Amino acid sequence: MPELSHGRRMLVLAICCMSLLIVSLDNTVLNVALPSLQRELDASTSGLQWTIDAYTLVLASLLMLAGSTADRIGRRRVFMSGLVVFTLGSLLCSLAPDLNWLVVFRMVQAVGGSMLNPVAMSIITNTFTDPRERARAIGVWGAVVGLSMAAGPLVGGLLVDSVGWRSIFWVNLPVGLAALLLTWRFVPESRAPRARRPDPVGQVLVIALFGSLTYAIIEAPHGSWRSTAPFAALALISLLALLRYEPRRPEPLIDLRFFRSAPFSGATVIAVSAFAALGGFLFLSTLYLQNVRGLSAMEAGLWMLPMAVPTFLCAPLSGRLVGSRGPRLPLLVAGGAMTVSGLLFALFEAETSNATLLLGYVLFGVGFGFVNAPITNTAVSGMPLSQAGVASAVASTSRQLGQTLGVAVLGAVLAAGVSASSYASYADTFVSASRPGWWVLAACGAVVLTLGVVTTGVWARGTAERAARRLEGERLSRRAGVDA
């Protein structure tokens, strides 16, 4: 990639941030619209789960494929393709005649979204070659995620109350088209010197694993074991096949040798746990505020601000702490705050009092604000530079998988609890039916707290260094064999 002027680099960063904003905003805005969508399309709880999970599931399945494809055929080309598909998917979502078509069009959106965020990060990394400039650029990138968390509920509430739920997808159209034109005009093409080879078998196994597991969890409360057991079995078979097949490939889709590093393994589980908590938290809170308290979408968006604002404010503080003191302290704060938030709802029914509800939201916002920065840092800790991008991609996939499972599990718990109380109204049974879900959320926080201690110490760093030496040694040996 040619050396760009400072102004041109800032413009490339802004274009990449535009793509991140529409992808991040899309999910937070949609959560606020769920009750309105439920009424208009006569959707069940599982139907609402699929409107969220169809997107995050496809995204999680295709992130690593999109990243490696961009390295091979050109990052600018793949990024522009992603903008076209995502914008088209948003238009189709706004026109969906029923819930089934909305789920299908959300999957189209996700195919485009998978080509945006990981590829945009690669473009930023290759545009900002100076380490300090790159760190500042990634800081701006992270702030956009916090901005989407803070603005999403308000934007969604305003649009749903004034125009309707379909309008939340219209926002993506002008931004997507503007980003497409600016990318075509100002973003230079770039490729990796040596791209990873495709792994179609591994990709199919990942899709089968994620898809069948999510289906089994979401549909379990609504069907018999005979209808869900085959999907659970398929998930298990896909997992076992991955564990057997991937180590045999010289360049696998998922390099299982990474998991010899305790920080990497810890970051993967932390990402799944933290984002499962986020997905479940947003899902339960939105339904409670509108379907139980009877608030409008705009009022529910305002109630979500005590969670969103601390997330926005704590994210840069967490990044600075990671840079100066390492990932342990941010992870301890994150795990502790998320655990206490879950316990407030599980033990004390925080929903029943405005004060405890507000406190629970603030604590969760603080916890989630602190958790995101150390995930990537811990995932790539000690990894050789040649493998850092792949390790980061696995961490990104873990985030999306976590959010998928969070909505699936907590939605299934809620559906089971509501259906068990057939003689009471939905509003009357919601708090008691959702209590096991809050216990799950508290457990996710406890996992973040525990792994924050275990995977950031001297022993953990030693495992990362040993894994890095073996990975780099094996890579150099393969290259020497090719050269010979």
Side-chain angles (χ1 to χ4, degrees):
M1 178 183 288
E3 185 67 27
L4 304 179
S5 66
H6 177 75
R8 183 80 173 269
R9 292 197 298 272
M10 291 299 107
L11 183 57
V12 170
L13 175 61
I15 294 168
C16 291
C17 286
M18 288 170 69
S19 74
L20 175 64
L21 181 63
I22 57 175
V23 171
S24 301
L25 200 63
D26 195 72
N27 256 346
T28 53
V29 168
L30 182 59
N31 266 283
V32 178
L34 287 178
S36 176
L37 192 152
Q38 183 179 32
R39 289 189 296 271
E40 186 170 328
L41 299 182
D42 192 27
S44 63
T45 299
S46 65
L48 297 181
Q49 290 171 271
W50 279 117
T51 62
I52 301 292
D53 275 358
Y55 180 86
T56 55
L57 179 62
V58 173
L59 201 63
S61 301
L62 299 181
L63 277 173
M64 287 183 286
L65 174 64
S68 60
T69 302
D71 287 342
R72 187 179 309 108
I73 70 173
R75 298 181 180 107
R76 176 174 173 265
R77 180 182 300 176
V78 172
F79 187 68
M80 290 179 65
S81 301
L83 286 169
V84 170
V85 175
F86 186 86
T87 305
L88 176 62
S90 299
L91 176 62
L92 292 173
C93 285
S94 71
L95 301 174
D98 55 40
L99 185 71
N100 292 332
W101 279 111
L102 178 60
V103 170
V104 171
F105 295 150
R106 287 281 288 164
M107 296 172 75
V108 174
Q109 263 193 315
V111 173
S114 70
M115 302 182 212
L116 295 181
N117 290 357
V119 180
M121 179 55 73
S122 295
I123 292 173
I124 291 173
T125 302
N126 284 273
T127 300
F128 294 86
T129 54
D130 178 74
R132 291 186 178 181
E133 267 201 337
R134 182 184 296 170
R136 287 193 292 268
I138 293 174
V140 173
W141 172 267
V144 172
V145 178
L147 178 63
S148 70
M149 290 286 295
L154 282 179
V155 172
L158 180 63
L159 289 173
V160 170
D161 281 351
S162 59
V163 185
W165 66 265
R166 296 178 187 274
S167 63
I168 65 176
F169 297 107
W170 298 344
V171 176
N172 299 331
L173 305 185
V175 180
L177 290 174
L180 179 64
L181 293 174
L182 290 169
T183 302
W184 174 75
R185 177 67 180 83
F186 295 107
V187 176
E189 185 60 281
S190 65
R191 294 177 177 84
R194 182 179 178 274
R196 293 169 63 84
R197 286 183 289 180
D199 179 10
V201 175
Q203 184 63 61
V204 169
L205 289 174
V206 165
I207 293 173
L209 170 60
F210 290 176
S212 56
L213 178 62
T214 304
Y215 183 90
I217 294 172
I218 289 179
E219 298 300 330
H222 312 285
S224 66
W225 68 269
R226 291 178 181 174
S227 62
T228 55
F231 291 92
L234 177 59
L236 179 59
I237 292 170
S238 301
L239 175 60
L240 295 175
L242 267 175
L243 295 176
R244 181 172 178 81
Y245 176 77
E246 291 295 276
R248 299 169 182 267
R249 285 187 58 84
E251 292 185 352
L253 181 71
I254 301 175
D255 197 331
L256 300 179
R257 295 171 300 176
F258 286 179
F259 291 94
R260 297 169 183 167
S261 164
F264 178 85
S265 299
T268 302
V269 179
I270 287 170
V272 171
S273 300
F275 278 76
L278 174 68
F281 183 93
L282 292 175
F283 189 80
L284 290 181
S285 296
T286 300
L287 293 180
Y288 169 75
L289 291 171
Q290 295 186 56
N291 288 351
V292 179
R293 287 205 169 195
L295 302 181
S296 68
M298 185 64 186
E299 291 168 333
L302 289 171
W303 259 104
M304 297 295 284
L305 279 179
M307 182 276 292
V309 172
T311 298
F312 177 66
L313 296 177
C314 291
L317 174 59
S318 176
R320 287 195 292 271
L321 282 174
V322 170
S324 61
R325 302 187 59 178
R328 173 171 285 191
L329 181 58
L331 288 175
L332 296 185
V333 173
M338 293 170 73
T339 302
V340 174
S341 174
L343 291 176
L344 271 177
F345 289 93
L347 289 175
F348 303 105
E349 294 187 351
E351 304 99 324
T352 57
S353 164
N354 285 342
T356 52
L357 182 64
L358 181 66
L359 179 59
Y361 282 5
V362 169
L363 283 171
F364 188 87
V366 170
F368 191 76
F370 270 95
V371 80
N372 212 11
I375 287 174
T376 301
N377 177 275
T378 308
V380 302
S381 175
M383 287 288 174
L385 291 177
S386 61
Q387 303 287 349
V390 182
S392 179
V394 175
S396 297
T397 301
S398 300
R399 290 182 176 96
Q400 298 301 328
L401 176 61
Q403 195 163 349
T404 302
L405 293 178
V407 174
V409 172
L410 270 71
V413 167
L414 175 65
V418 169
S419 62
S421 304
S422 55
Y423 297 104
S425 68
Y426 179 88
D428 292 336
T429 60
F430 186 95
V431 172
S432 60
S434 64
R435 188 179 298 177
W438 292 112
W439 277 111
V440 172
L441 192 148
C444 289
V447 169
V448 173
L449 180 65
T450 303
L451 292 180
V453 175
V454 174
T455 63
T456 57
V458 176
W459 166 79
R461 286 194 295 271
T463 66
E465 291 167 2
R466 289 191 294 273
R469 285 196 297 269
R470 291 187 64 176
L471 284 167
E472 189 65 9
E474 292 171 12
R475 185 183 71 85
L476 293 174
S477 297
R478 285 199 306 271
R479 176 171 292 182
V482 170
D483 294 340

